[in-house]
């Protein structure tokens, strides 16, 4: 394969445009074609049919930035046509779809990565570094909250239709927090949940409360995903034997989640006092998460590295957790 990746982009909404902007600056990438029904005939890069990308003999790598219900089908078609695939979350809207994707990945032996970009925020990278240092001891428990307020035109959006979205706030936004808890705490084998549609009164959920347990490591976690927060909120707290690491706020394109501030402390005094000898605050002012994960994906193809984070195994695990929540009658 040529050192330069010849790229096709499917979907040119908000995320597709963001991906295009970053890809266009990568020296190892040449953007060949873009498909989106709303942008046909808008410049030489735009093609009239998605098959122009899928069946292209020139394009070797595809970025899928489409509504949820199209992700699995487009992933399989591109893998079958011997293309490396980067797909936005969610990987699929059912376990059946995800299992099919994994079969295609194994059969056609192409690179496949998913857009769990929260793993690549600078604050999350720092959290991982602190935990891996072992200075804080083992993880004991964690708590995640991710909330927003949706706009008045929500009912007109495909996200409000379970046929196209696969679910509500959990699969839309909460999937990121679920992925981070899994990332830091390991595989969960016990899942307890409650969900509601108390405001929108649709088949999709507007609130989900989840309790998780990793029995092997004896780690407990809780999570709340909501679209009735009435303001954007992000909070991830991890408590360890010798300290704590807390992230409040998240730098995003909307700048609506507050400052991305990581606070950590170590070496507390003996219980029951809550005195800490060392406490630090770090504010992260830029969002490099999308660039970071694209760099990892590109390097994995060019250098033939394994994709260690955001791979199909991670995707399957997260979808299993989501399936347990959606299968619950509570």
């Amino acid at each position: 394969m040529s050192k330069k990746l010849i790229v096709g982009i499917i979907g040119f909404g908000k995320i597709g445009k963001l991906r295009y902007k970053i890809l266009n600056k990568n020296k190892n990438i040449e953007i060949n074609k873009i498909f989106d029904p709303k942008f046909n005939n808008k410049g030489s890069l735009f093609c009239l049919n998605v098959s122009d990308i899928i069946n292209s003999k020139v394009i070797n790598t595809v970025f899928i930035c489409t509504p949820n219900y199209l992700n699995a089908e487009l992933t399989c078609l591109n893998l079958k046509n011997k293309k490396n695939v980067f797909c936005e979350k969610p990987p699929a809207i059912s376990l059946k779809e995800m299992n099919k994707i994994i079969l295609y990945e194994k059969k056609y032996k192409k690179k496949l990565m998913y857009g769990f970009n929260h793993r690549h925020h600078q604050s999350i990278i720092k959290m991982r570094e602190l935990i891996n240092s072992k200075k804080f001891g083992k993880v004991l428990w964690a708590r995640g909250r991710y909330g927003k307020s949706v706009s008045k035109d929500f009912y007109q959006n495909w996200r409000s239709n379970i046929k196209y979205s696969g679910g509500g706030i959990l699969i839309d936004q909460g999937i990121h927090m679920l992925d981070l808890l899994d990332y830091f705490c390991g595989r969960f084998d016990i899942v307890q949940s409650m969900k509601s549609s108390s405001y929108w009164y649709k088949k999709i959920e507007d609130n989900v409360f989840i309790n998780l347990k990793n029995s092997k490591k004896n780690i407990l976690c809780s999570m709340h995903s909501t679209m009735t927060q009435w303001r954007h909120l992000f909070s991830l707290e991890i408590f360890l034997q010798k300290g704590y690491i807390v992230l409040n706020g998240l730098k995003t394109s909307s700048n609506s989640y507050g400052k991305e501030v990581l606070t950590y402390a170590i070496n507390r005094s003996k219980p029951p006092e809550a005195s800490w000898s060392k406490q630090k605050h770090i504010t992260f002012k830029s969002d490099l998460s999308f660039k970071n994960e694209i760099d990892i994906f590109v390097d994995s193809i060019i250098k033939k590295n394994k994709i260690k984070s955001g791979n199909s195994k991670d995707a399957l695990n997260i979808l299993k957790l989501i399936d347990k929540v959606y299968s619950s009658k509570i």
Side-chain angles (χ1 to χ4, degrees):
M1 178 182 288
S2 168
K3 287 290 183 181
K4 181 165 284 193
L5 303 185
I6 311 301
V7 167
I9 301 174
I10 303 176
F12 206 61
K14 180 180 178 181
I15 298 299
K17 290 175 183 176
L18 178 59
R19 293 292 182 191
Y20 168 80
K21 184 178 179 180
I22 297 171
L23 290 168
N24 211 30
K25 294 179 180 178
N26 192 308
K27 64 180 181 180
N28 295 311
I29 285 174
E30 177 186 322
I31 299 174
N32 183 270
K33 283 185 175 66
I34 301 171
F35 172 77
D36 191 301
K38 296 180 181 178
F39 289 90
N40 283 341
N41 299 316
K42 300 288 184 179
S44 59
L45 283 178
F46 289 86
C47 55
L48 296 174
N49 199 304
V50 68
S51 62
D52 293 340
I53 293 176
I54 296 171
N55 297 325
S56 172
K57 302 298 183 183
V58 176
I59 294 172
N60 53 38
T61 304
V62 173
F63 281 75
I64 299 172
C65 313
T66 55
N68 299 356
Y69 71 103
L70 295 172
N71 288 352
E73 179 183 3
L74 288 171
T75 297
C76 289
L77 285 171
N78 280 286
L79 289 172
K80 185 178 180 179
N81 280 272
K82 300 180 180 179
K83 292 170 175 50
N84 305 299
V85 175
F86 185 100
C87 182
E88 300 298 340
K89 61 80 187 168
I93 60 174
S94 71
L95 276 177
K96 182 179 179 180
E97 286 186 344
M98 191 66 229
N99 285 324
K100 181 179 179 180
I101 290 170
I102 290 175
L103 289 175
Y104 273 61
E105 180 190 21
K106 290 179 179 178
K107 181 176 181 179
Y108 297 106
K109 297 180 172 58
K110 305 305 294 185
K111 296 290 184 181
L112 174 61
M113 184 171 172
Y114 288 100
F116 291 111
N117 72 293
H118 287 43
R119 291 186 177 207
H120 305 283
H121 273 266
Q122 291 167 281
S123 57
I124 297 298
I125 294 171
K126 181 65 176 178
M127 291 180 85
R128 185 78 167 178
E129 177 187 311
L130 291 171
I131 292 172
N132 288 343
S133 73
K134 306 298 183 182
K135 294 179 181 178
F136 292 74
K138 295 180 180 179
V139 173
L140 299 177
W141 62 273
R143 176 170 56 213
R145 294 178 294 144
Y146 208 171
K148 65 178 182 178
S149 180
V150 297
S151 60
K152 292 181 180 180
D153 63 350
F154 182 69
Y155 277 149
Q156 284 70 53
N157 193 297
W158 61 264
R159 296 179 190 277
S160 69
N161 189 327
I162 195 169
K163 178 181 178 181
Y164 303 122
S165 64
I169 190 63
L170 177 60
I171 201 168
D172 177 44
Q173 184 188 66
I175 189 173
H176 283 301
M177 184 60 76
L178 193 60
D179 178 64
L180 289 178
L181 290 172
D182 177 80
Y183 186 50
F184 286 121
C185 302
R187 300 302 194 221
F188 298 112
D189 56 306
I190 298 176
V191 180
Q192 299 173 331
S193 66
M194 290 189 294
K195 53 190 179 293
S196 70
S197 300
S198 56
Y199 186 79
W200 292 104
Y201 303 107
K202 297 275 285 185
K203 291 183 178 180
I204 62 169
E205 77 287 352
D206 52 34
N207 279 273
V208 179
F209 291 84
I210 306 174
N211 291 324
L212 304 149
K213 184 175 182 178
N214 179 333
S215 297
K216 185 177 181 180
K217 295 184 178 180
N218 196 28
I219 299 174
L220 297 176
C221 297
S222 70
M223 174 184 150
H224 179 207
S225 177
T226 173
M227 67 171 74
T228 57
Q229 182 73 36
W230 308 137
R231 65 185 179 93
H232 287 191
L233 177 141
F234 180 93
S235 177
L236 175 59
E237 305 165 282
I238 299 178
F239 284 76
L240 306 96
Q241 292 170 315
K242 301 177 183 179
Y244 66 83
I245 309 170
V246 174
L247 174 60
N248 282 312
L250 199 68
K251 176 65 177 176
T252 66
S253 58
S254 69
N255 288 313
S256 58
Y257 288 91
K259 292 183 178 179
E260 187 172 324
V261 181
L262 183 69
T263 302
Y264 59 95
I266 194 170
N267 296 330
R268 65 170 170 79
S269 59
K270 293 182 180 179
E273 300 176 40
S275 168
W276 301 86
S277 60
K278 297 180 181 179
Q279 188 177 46
K280 293 186 178 181
H281 305 274
I282 305 175
T283 300
F284 297 89
K285 297 182 179 180
S286 59
D287 177 10
L288 301 177
S289 62
F290 288 93
K291 179 183 181 301
N292 288 341
E293 66 179 355
I294 285 176
D295 288 344
I296 291 171
F297 179 60
V298 171
D299 282 350
S300 74
I301 299 170
I302 294 176
K303 298 177 182 178
K304 298 181 180 180
N305 298 328
K306 285 187 177 181
I307 298 174
K308 297 180 180 180
S309 181
N311 53 40
S312 59
K313 186 177 180 180
D314 293 326
L316 177 62
N317 183 64
I318 295 303
L319 281 178
K320 284 181 178 179
L321 295 176
I322 290 175
D323 183 70
K324 286 182 180 180
V325 174
Y326 284 160
S327 297
S328 171
K329 295 181 180 180
I330 301 177

